[in-house]
Amino acid sequence: MSPPDWNARFSETEFAYGTEPNSFLAKNAHLLIDPVLSIAEGEGRNAVFLATQGLRVHAVDGSDVGLAKAAKLAAHQGVSISTEVTDLNDFQPEPQTYGGVVSIFAHLPCSIRDKLYPLLVQSLKPGGVLILEAYSENQCDRGTGGPGDLDLLMTPAKIESELTGLETILLHEAEREVVEGKYHTGMASVVQFIGKKLG
């Protein structure tokens, strides 16, 4: 199954995943420390929300179309975010730069995760927090959102083995209703993780 053409998806007039932040992120955003890196940010709903909370946010995504919409959404909300168009396979965040890293429904193959996740941990300052939500492997055939490739879906075990170097604050698989635009709507199986980088 080929991945979506993100520029085509984000070229639609409406926001593919809505303009409201991910509810798991919104609930736990108070844990984040300024500044924040948000990967696979898409059209900006999460980065803009964090900016309205007073955080400086650097949003990265492979789609220039998505990030252009993100900048417009930020302006509409009266905030600013910095954006960077990049392939996450090649992304090199600066070490010990961020107080928070956000990964919301950033479904990546293990070949990219194996390179990127250690860099994300290194990019956190001591005391920094990483917040992740992704569809779980049990989501695969539900048709309510997410990729159909098991390699792109997560499990708590994958998190434990791939996101090392963080103290686990929360890690579980959960069933919850997701209502985020037309591509993420319905009862879903997700993995949620919050980790903190120790000194």
Side-chain angles (χ1 to χ4, degrees):
M1 183 180 296
S2 60
D5 180 334
W6 293 109
N7 274 345
R9 179 169 292 189
F10 295 149
S11 293
E12 298 173 9
T13 302
E14 64 184 300
F15 281 69
Y17 303 100
T19 57
E20 295 299 312
N22 170 269
S23 60
F24 177 67
L25 174 64
K27 178 181 177 182
N28 294 288
H30 65 280
L31 299 172
L32 294 168
I33 303 165
D34 188 65
V36 175
L37 169 67
S38 181
I39 68 164
E41 175 57 41
E43 298 165 306
R45 63 196 178 96
N46 294 311
V48 170
F49 165 75
L50 294 173
T52 68
Q53 305 304 298
L55 294 164
R56 291 171 295 158
V57 186
H58 186 59
V60 299
D61 197 274
S63 170
D64 59 331
V65 175
L67 290 179
K69 286 175 81 172
K72 289 181 180 179
L73 180 63
H76 180 72
Q77 296 286 346
V79 296
S80 64
I81 59 173
S82 64
T83 62
E84 179 181 352
V85 180
T86 185
D87 184 337
L88 289 176
N89 189 47
D90 304 317
F91 182 50
Q92 297 274 338
E94 289 294 321
Q96 297 201 41
T97 299
Y98 298 103
V101 171
V102 172
S103 174
I104 300 298
F105 295 126
H107 297 106
L108 306 167
C110 65
S111 60
I112 294 180
R113 298 196 308 267
D114 286 348
K115 290 192 292 184
L116 179 62
Y117 280 4
L119 296 175
L120 294 180
V121 173
Q122 290 173 24
S123 78
L124 283 169
K125 300 175 184 178
V129 171
L130 186 148
I131 296 178
L132 177 149
E133 182 171 50
Y135 285 118
S136 82
E137 289 186 356
N138 289 321
Q139 175 70 8
C140 194
D141 298 319
R142 294 196 177 201
T144 55
D149 183 346
L150 286 176
D151 182 42
L152 303 179
L153 298 167
M154 297 304 289
T155 64
K158 285 181 179 178
I159 295 290
E160 287 180 328
S161 65
E162 297 175 8
L163 267 172
T164 58
L166 299 174
E167 177 188 30
T168 298
I169 297 172
L170 172 75
L171 175 59
H172 64 191
E173 187 170 338
E175 299 276 319
R176 78 173 188 89
E177 188 80 16
V178 177
V179 182
E180 299 181 349
K182 67 179 181 178
Y183 293 103
H184 284 178
T185 297
M187 187 58 67
S189 179
V190 299
V191 175
Q192 299 175 332
F193 172 72
I194 301 174
K196 182 176 183 178
K197 187 172 183 179
L198 301 179

